[in-house]
Amino acid sequence: MLNPDTILEKIPQYAQALEKQHGTKWKQLLPAVADLMINLGKNPRLKNNLATINIPVQIMVGDKDNMVTIEESTDVYRALPNAKLVVLPDTKHPMDKVRPNLLLSLIKDFWNLS
């Protein structure tokens, strides 16, 4: 999903959006991000240490996320001693797919700013 040549060929509009968002080196960025995600998946550094994180944390996941499941997010939420869980309705993974007003409201609520 993060192959720049495939994106250029199959979804050029997305390639243009990536260049606009990340600059001219977006093609180099994608493989690095893919490697990072694969490495984190194979070697989850925090998995056995989540209970030691005592600060307030809000886990958010989209109900239509294709990168992280609700179950994975719930597992992390349950392992954190001071966490909240939010499932964003009708939301895919990329941050730009989140409804800004909903996200802002949830962030303000988390920080007791509403």
Side-chain angles (χ1 to χ4, degrees):
M1 292 175 54
L2 294 176
N3 182 313
D5 295 328
T6 302
I7 291 171
L8 274 168
E9 178 186 329
K10 299 197 181 230
I11 26 179
Q13 312 90 306
Y14 185 52
Q16 290 171 350
L18 287 171
E19 184 166 358
K20 183 178 179 185
Q21 191 173 25
H22 299 290
T24 57
K25 295 193 176 190
W26 71 272
K27 291 181 195 175
Q28 290 83 20
L29 179 63
L30 289 184
V33 170
D35 289 345
L36 173 68
M37 291 190 316
I38 290 167
N39 190 343
L40 287 174
K42 290 180 179 177
N43 305 298
R45 304 198 191 297
L46 293 176
K47 186 173 184 175
N48 297 321
N49 298 310
L50 292 172
T52 65
I53 300 173
N54 293 310
I55 61 170
V57 175
Q58 182 161 276
I59 304 294
M60 291 187 177
V61 63
D63 64 348
K64 295 182 178 170
D65 194 318
N66 62 353
M67 297 283 290
V68 179
T69 67
I70 293 173
E71 293 76 21
E72 289 168 324
S73 299
T74 302
D75 289 346
V76 171
Y77 153 74
R78 287 188 175 138
L80 292 163
N82 193 11
K84 292 181 179 183
L85 175 67
V86 175
V87 179
L88 298 162
D90 196 30
T91 303
K92 296 181 180 181
H93 184 80
M95 188 66 163
D96 61 347
K97 301 294 183 192
V98 177
R99 292 181 301 197
N101 291 339
L102 175 60
L103 183 61
L104 178 60
S105 177
L106 291 164
I107 291 171
K108 287 169 73 174
D109 179 71
F110 178 73
W111 290 106
N112 296 314
L113 298 173
S114 30

